[in-house]
């Protein structure tokens, strides 16, 4: 059995195995060296956040049983996509595809901050009152569906090897758990890692209640796009210990930490205030 056939045959098990393994490692890291004290009940947050993961997984499998991997196989069979068209060798196509798909996800992340209607969906992710490994998978089902459609379109245009799509998705899930981890890394290690990988201290700034900080450090996996395109912020204004996580005006645990409240959050309140067109900090005294 070749590599592609093996991945197709065992893709669900591979995804689940990496998810469980990375989840356990990050959870142990949070217990051994927590970065910040959590403010909301862990049982409530974890049951809701992980409940959203289960709901999204079932929804995706029902609506897109083959998803982006199926599109990769379909494109390869018909010669669709840039990499297939130009016959790029597998050894080069794999890293090119992983990097290109990461850039697509970075652009998507910027888009959901820039378009108010999409921000309504994405603020479910930002409204988490705490920041730990479960925050990384806390996404509204409609945003998950939108993300999958974008990913399928990107795969059709790019024509990546099927294995590259699986590698990318496994890496994205793993790094999302890691960089949302409530882990205290040595400052020297963090400085080195964030040249090649988004670290918890780097991405935590993105979850600040302040709009200019929330509109920085969009990367989940690779940190290069923020550095190259001017959205990189090295440290939060108030420091990590004083950084306030969440969204102004959304602090009721029934709304931000319960599953039913999270699903209905896009329908509540105004969509403005955190749009990317407000990157300059106005100061807390000017907030309603």
């Amino acid at each position: 059995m070749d590599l592609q056939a093996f991945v197709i045959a065992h893709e669900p098990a591979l995804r689940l195995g990496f998810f469980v393994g990375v989840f356990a490692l990050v959870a142990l890291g949070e217990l051994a060296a927590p970065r910040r004290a959590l403010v909301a009940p862990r049982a409530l947050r974890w049951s809701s956040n992980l409940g959203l993961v289960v709901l999204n997984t079932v929804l995706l499998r029902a609506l897109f049983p083959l998803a982006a991997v199926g599109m990769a196989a379909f494109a390869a069979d018909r010669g669709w996509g840039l990499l297939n068209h130009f016959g790029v060798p597998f050894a080069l196509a794999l890293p090119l595809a992983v990097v290109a798909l990461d850039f697509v996800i970075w652009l998507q992340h910027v888009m959901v901050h820039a378009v108010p209607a999409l921000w309504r969906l994405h603020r479910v992710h930002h409204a988490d009152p705490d920041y730990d490994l479960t925050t990384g998978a806390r996404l509204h089902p409609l945003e998950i569906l939108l993300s999958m459609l974008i990913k399928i379109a990107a795969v059709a245009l790019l024509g990546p090897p099927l294995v590259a799509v699986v590698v990318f998705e496994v890496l994205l899930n793993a790094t999302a758990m890691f960089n949302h981890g409530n882990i205290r890394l040595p400052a020297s290690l963090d400085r080195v890692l964030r040249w090649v990988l988004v670290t918890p201290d780097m991405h935590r700034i993105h979850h600040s209640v302040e709009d200019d900080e929330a509109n920085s450090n969009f990367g989940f996996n690779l940190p290069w796009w923020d550095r190259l395109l001017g959205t990189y912020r090295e440290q939060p204004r108030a420091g990590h210990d004083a950084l306030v996580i969440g969204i102004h005006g959304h602090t009721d645990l029934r709304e931000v930490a319960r599953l039913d409240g999270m699903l209905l959050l896009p329908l509540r309140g105004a969509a403005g205030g955190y749009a990317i067109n407000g990157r300059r900090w106005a100061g807390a005294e000017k907030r309603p």
Side-chain angles (χ1 to χ4, degrees):
M1 181 183 293
D2 64 18
L3 180 59
Q4 178 164 301
F6 177 83
V7 170
I8 292 174
H10 300 285
E11 184 226 349
L14 288 170
R15 288 178 184 273
L16 180 61
F18 275 102
F19 176 84
V20 172
V22 174
F23 188 97
L25 287 174
V26 177
L28 288 173
E30 291 187 341
L31 289 174
R35 185 68 168 90
R36 293 159 50 97
L38 302 181
V39 298
R42 187 193 299 268
L44 174 62
R45 285 186 57 255
W46 276 40
S47 61
S48 298
N49 290 355
L50 295 178
L52 201 52
V53 173
V54 174
L55 175 62
N56 288 338
T57 301
V58 171
L59 186 63
L60 283 178
R61 287 291 174 180
L63 295 179
F64 302 104
L66 299 179
V69 172
M71 176 53 75
F74 187 81
D77 186 57
R78 286 158 178 78
W80 289 5
L82 295 172
L83 296 176
N84 289 322
H85 177 76
F86 289 105
V88 179
F90 176 82
L92 181 58
L94 193 152
L96 282 177
V98 170
V99 171
L101 289 171
D102 190 77
F103 182 57
V104 170
I105 295 301
W106 184 89
L107 288 173
Q108 174 194 311
H109 194 181
V110 173
M111 179 183 71
V112 297
H113 277 256
V115 180
L118 299 181
W119 168 248
R120 283 186 176 275
L121 299 176
H122 188 60
R123 65 184 177 181
V124 171
H125 179 65
H126 280 260
D128 197 336
D130 279 320
Y131 185 90
D132 67 15
L133 79 162
T134 66
T135 306
R138 175 189 159 118
L139 295 167
H140 194 277
L142 291 179
E143 183 176 1
I144 285 287
L145 293 179
L146 172 65
S147 179
M148 181 54 68
L149 289 172
I150 291 172
K151 200 180 302 178
I152 289 172
V155 168
L157 178 63
L158 184 63
L162 183 150
V163 174
V165 176
V166 176
V167 168
F168 167 72
E169 293 192 327
V170 167
L171 281 175
L172 188 65
N173 289 335
T175 54
M177 284 187 280
F178 167 68
N179 60 48
H180 286 89
N182 183 33
I183 301 173
R184 183 182 296 276
L185 295 178
S188 57
L189 177 60
D190 179 83
R191 281 195 300 272
V192 173
L193 274 182
R194 66 168 63 189
W195 283 103
V196 294
L197 183 68
V198 176
T199 66
D201 273 12
M202 179 179 168
H203 192 68
R204 188 180 299 105
I205 302 167
H206 180 73
H207 282 256
S208 167
V209 296
E210 302 303 342
D211 48 9
D212 64 324
E213 294 182 334
N215 286 310
S216 67
N217 296 3
F218 291 95
F220 278 119
N221 184 12
L222 299 175
W224 309 329
W225 318 123
D226 288 302
R227 290 181 179 273
L228 290 171
L229 298 171
T231 51
Y232 175 68
R233 182 185 287 264
E234 184 174 358
Q235 297 295 335
R237 187 168 25 250
H240 282 282
D241 291 336
L243 178 67
V244 180
I245 300 294
I247 301 177
H248 283 296
H250 295 280
T251 57
D252 187 340
L253 292 182
R254 292 172 298 180
E255 179 185 53
V256 301
R258 275 180 29 174
L259 183 56
D260 57 342
M262 291 154 55
L263 291 173
L264 294 174
L265 183 59
L267 302 177
R268 296 183 173 133
Y274 287 82
I276 203 168
N277 59 5
R279 281 182 51 83
R280 187 169 63 86
W281 185 54
E285 71 279 3
K286 295 184 180 180
R287 295 194 178 281

